[in-house]
Amino acid sequence: MQRRHFLSCLATFCSTGSLLNSPARAVPLVPVGKAQPFDYAWLKGHARALAGRAYQPARNSVPKAIEALDWDQYQSIRFRQDHALWRDEKLRFQAQFFHLGLFYKTPVRMFEVAGGQAQELTYDPEMFDHRKSGLDTKALPKNLGFAGFRLNFHTDWTRDVAAFLGASYFRAVGGEWQYGLSARGLAIDTGMSRPEEFPNFVAFWLERPAPQSSTVTVYALLDSPSVAGAYRFYITPGETLVMDVDAALYPRKPIERLGIAPCTSMFQFGENDKRMANDWRPEIHDSDGLQMWTGRGEWIWRPLTNPERLRFNAYLDENPRGFGLMQRDRDFDHYQDDGVFYERRPSLWVEPKAGWGKGSVQLVEIPTIDETFDNIVAFWNPQDKPQPGQELLFGYRLHWGADSPVKPAVARCVATRTGIGGIVGQPRKYFSWRFAVDFAGGDLALLGKDAVVEPVISASRGKIEITSARPLHSIRGYRAMFDLRPMDESTQPIDLRLYLRCNGQALTETWLYQWDPPPPSQRKFA
């Protein structure tokens, strides 16, 4: 959890500086201590009105003592559980708040909603244990505010099930109780040549859940130079935690690359990509692939990589049925990390609730030197560019858990391995690269020994050689293998596509890959 806090704020802090904007000045809501009628319609109207005014970046207003907190001092500040919201209400949820400090210097306003009335929640130093931080709590202002919040469920009051902290970042856990990748409210101009814009959730409304309800409702107001927005989250914990999200966006200006339902994760190296594999652990990643279920019903698997330079891909679609960053490899032996447990990291599946029209699932892969940086982003980008004055409505569900809620009828890719090509025992006369792709599930286990299974392979460039598809009994599946021989000296990426079929019937999802040929001077084959 600490790494995710650090990464989400670091990404924002290092970009446009928008994390340092003070929503208390930019967003005049209701006076402290005064209740006001509240519902989602009001919030959408407020966001629309906010977008009709020029964006007002506010200033950092936290005391110097909080600005000066180092990492250890900030981490020592603990919220006192006896001050949790709804602690005395005998409900299934409680909320705890994050203190300002370190990279979280923007006060975020917090409200409780009960009986259709919103009441602001004010900061009190007594909510936190500051003893190890060195802060003089008597010198802290009563209106200091909060950095974010987390939710606890009645099955375990110690561990939180979801947290909102830093810009529009949030995260959740499934049945493994393990944090991993993050989601965002919105992404703007991600992976472009200019700095990315990070919208902020500047205020939250936590609706008091009904007794015996296992769903809690959270509302959020989003603001940035390009857009204002209203969000509603219905959050239901479980083996797979589900967030039912409604978003209403009101652009202030045209947006070139709008990212809906962005997922943010980390991939340093895995069995398919050993470029940065100088660690004692076999693999290091929070997610190992992008999974897509297209509007036409095709299932696609795109293994992640850690490229040498920023890599951007767009996969055109219309009315996608779902997509997400997944952690399919859940074998501890493949990671050997008994501290952060990568095999337990949740996958995040995005399920649109209605047709999103034409657009593309976009994937951004950023080079990273170690596991402390989130370098993978995936989101939906509508074909039509947002324009000022529009109301853009998006509804979707986020599924946080070990797997996607819908299983493809065809076999899935369970491993991708790469290495030098050629035939073992025979001298290599030229450079080629081997790809071994394993599939399991679907109808593969039903195939008889006489079934003719063929790999269907295509490449945007180069020559495909030494193809095969044969049973792999250890996984009750099949392994497809082929070599790719570059036929020119270009180092531009080569796009690969593969699936298995029998008598014209597709047996597997479609495997997509993008491979960077090495420079000619590095194409050693002897």
Side-chain angles (χ1 to χ4, degrees):
M1 188 64 180
Q2 293 180 358
R3 185 173 77 87
R4 284 290 165 238
H5 290 173
F6 173 76
L7 293 173
S8 63
C9 69
L10 180 63
T12 309
F13 181 77
C14 293
S15 58
T16 61
S18 59
L19 184 60
L20 303 184
N21 298 332
S22 170
R25 297 185 182 181
V27 188
L29 296 174
V30 297
V32 173
K34 181 180 180 181
Q36 174 178 308
F38 177 86
D39 58 20
Y40 188 48
W42 178 89
L43 183 59
K44 289 194 292 184
H46 184 74
R48 184 194 291 271
L50 189 64
R53 303 193 296 270
Y55 177 68
Q56 297 294 324
R59 301 168 186 168
N60 179 8
S61 59
V62 299
K64 292 183 178 180
I66 291 181
E67 283 193 6
L69 290 173
D70 63 24
W71 174 261
D72 292 331
Q73 289 174 315
Y74 178 71
Q75 289 297 323
S76 74
I77 301 175
R78 299 287 186 229
F79 188 86
R80 300 181 187 275
Q81 290 188 355
D82 57 350
H83 284 69
L85 182 65
W86 307 319
R87 180 176 177 84
D88 299 326
E89 304 294 334
K90 297 182 179 180
L91 303 176
R92 292 183 177 176
F93 290 91
Q94 293 178 15
Q96 301 183 27
F97 301 97
F98 292 111
H99 203 281
L100 288 166
L102 198 63
F103 299 102
Y104 309 104
K105 299 177 182 179
T106 304
V108 179
R109 301 183 72 179
M110 299 288 174
F111 297 82
E112 181 195 15
V113 178
Q117 298 286 314
Q119 185 81 32
E120 185 158 12
L121 303 170
T122 59
Y123 171 84
D124 184 344
E126 292 302 316
M127 293 179 172
F128 298 89
D129 181 351
H130 300 85
R131 288 174 294 180
K132 296 181 180 180
S133 69
L135 284 175
D136 180 5
T137 58
K138 295 180 180 179
L140 297 179
K142 293 292 185 181
N143 62 344
L144 180 63
F146 305 101
F149 70 96
R150 57 190 174 197
L151 294 170
N152 297 81
F153 194 51
H154 72 100
T155 56
D156 188 335
W157 292 124
T158 302
R159 297 178 290 181
D160 43 309
V161 296
F164 291 71
L165 179 65
S168 67
Y169 283 83
F170 56 97
R171 56 204 62 81
V173 300
E176 294 280 7
W177 288 97
Q178 181 71 46
Y179 278 107
L181 80 171
S182 301
R184 285 192 255 169
L186 199 64
I188 296 179
D189 293 343
T190 303
M192 301 187 71
S193 58
R194 60 176 175 270
E196 180 175 357
E197 180 178 310
F198 288 82
N200 291 328
F201 282 144
V202 297
F204 290 100
W205 289 259
L206 313 182
E207 186 168 64
R208 184 185 300 172
Q212 307 305 309
S213 175
S214 294
T215 298
V216 64
T217 305
V218 173
Y219 304 88
L221 177 65
L222 179 139
D223 198 21
S224 81
S226 297
V227 65
Y231 284 72
R232 177 174 57 191
F233 300 84
Y234 296 118
I235 302 173
T236 306
E239 182 67 20
T240 295
L241 183 145
V242 178
M243 294 182 176
D244 199 313
V245 185
D246 292 298
L249 304 175
Y250 304 95
R252 284 191 172 92
K253 60 183 182 181
I255 301 173
E256 185 171 350
R257 183 177 293 171
L258 182 69
I260 302 299
C263 313
T264 301
S265 192
M266 179 275 294
F267 182 94
Q268 186 186 355
F269 62 89
E271 58 202 7
N272 63 301
D273 183 355
K274 300 291 187 180
R275 186 178 72 84
M276 295 298 299
N278 56 2
D279 194 276
W280 62 272
R281 294 163 292 180
E283 300 184 42
I284 296 177
H285 52 77
D286 282 345
S287 306
D288 53 11
L290 169 64
Q291 181 177 335
M292 293 173 277
W293 189 18
T294 71
R296 294 175 296 141
E298 181 182 18
W299 285 93
I300 294 173
W301 177 251
R302 164 58 158 82
L304 299 176
T305 62
N306 180 5
E308 293 189 28
R309 53 188 176 271
L310 187 145
R311 179 181 288 170
F312 171 81
N313 283 275
Y315 302 98
L316 298 178
D317 200 3
E318 183 173 0
N319 296 324
R321 303 184 189 188
F323 69 92
L325 293 177
M326 317 302 288
Q327 183 76 320
R328 281 187 176 176
D329 189 344
R330 312 197 76 79
D331 188 335
F332 169 80
D333 189 52
H334 294 177
Y335 304 94
Q336 287 294 325
D337 194 319
D338 59 352
V340 298
F341 300 103
Y342 284 116
E343 77 281 359
R344 300 180 187 175
R345 298 298 169 106
S347 298
L348 177 54
W349 180 254
V350 180
E351 175 196 358
K353 291 192 291 186
W356 280 2
K358 294 182 179 181
S360 59
V361 175
Q362 300 192 349
L363 175 66
V364 179
E365 296 167 298
I366 304 168
T368 185
I369 58 174
D370 58 41
E371 62 196 291
T372 62
F373 295 95
D374 280 353
N375 62 316
I376 305 295
V377 188
F379 51 83
W380 173 256
N381 176 245
Q383 176 178 280
D384 297 331
K385 306 302 181 185
Q387 301 297 322
Q390 286 184 313
E391 179 183 58
L392 307 175
L393 302 177
F394 292 92
Y396 53 94
R397 294 183 183 91
L398 300 177
H399 301 263
W400 305 78
D403 207 346
S404 59
V406 182
K407 305 295 189 298
V410 293
R412 301 196 305 172
C413 176
V414 296
T416 300
R417 296 177 176 87
T418 71
I420 191 70
I423 299 175
V424 176
Q426 296 186 16
R428 298 183 179 92
K429 298 181 180 180
Y430 52 81
F431 174 84
S432 63
W433 202 247
R434 171 67 52 85
F435 294 86
V437 184
D438 296 346
F439 295 95
D443 294 333
L444 293 183
L446 303 179
L447 294 173
K449 63 179 181 179
D450 296 327
V452 179
V453 177
E454 59 176 328
V456 182
I457 308 168
S458 61
S460 62
R461 204 172 71 251
K463 183 179 180 181
I464 299 294
E465 300 179 333
I466 317 178
T467 64
S468 66
R470 59 180 184 266
L472 189 60
H473 298 296
S474 62
I475 63 169
R476 301 185 70 199
Y478 265 72
R479 170 169 291 173
M481 298 181 69
F482 66 94
D483 284 4
L484 176 63
R485 178 184 176 184
M487 303 302 290
D488 55 36
E489 295 186 350
S490 173
T491 59
Q492 292 300 306
I494 297 177
D495 294 312
L496 299 168
R497 184 181 180 93
L498 160 70
Y499 69 95
L500 300 183
R501 70 183 177 190
C502 179
N503 295 324
Q505 176 187 348
L507 299 173
T508 69
E509 63 186 357
T510 301
W511 173 89
L512 301 181
Y513 203 79
Q514 194 168 66
W515 178 64
D516 290 329
S521 62
Q522 298 179 17
R523 298 180 186 182
K524 299 179 181 179
F525 55 87

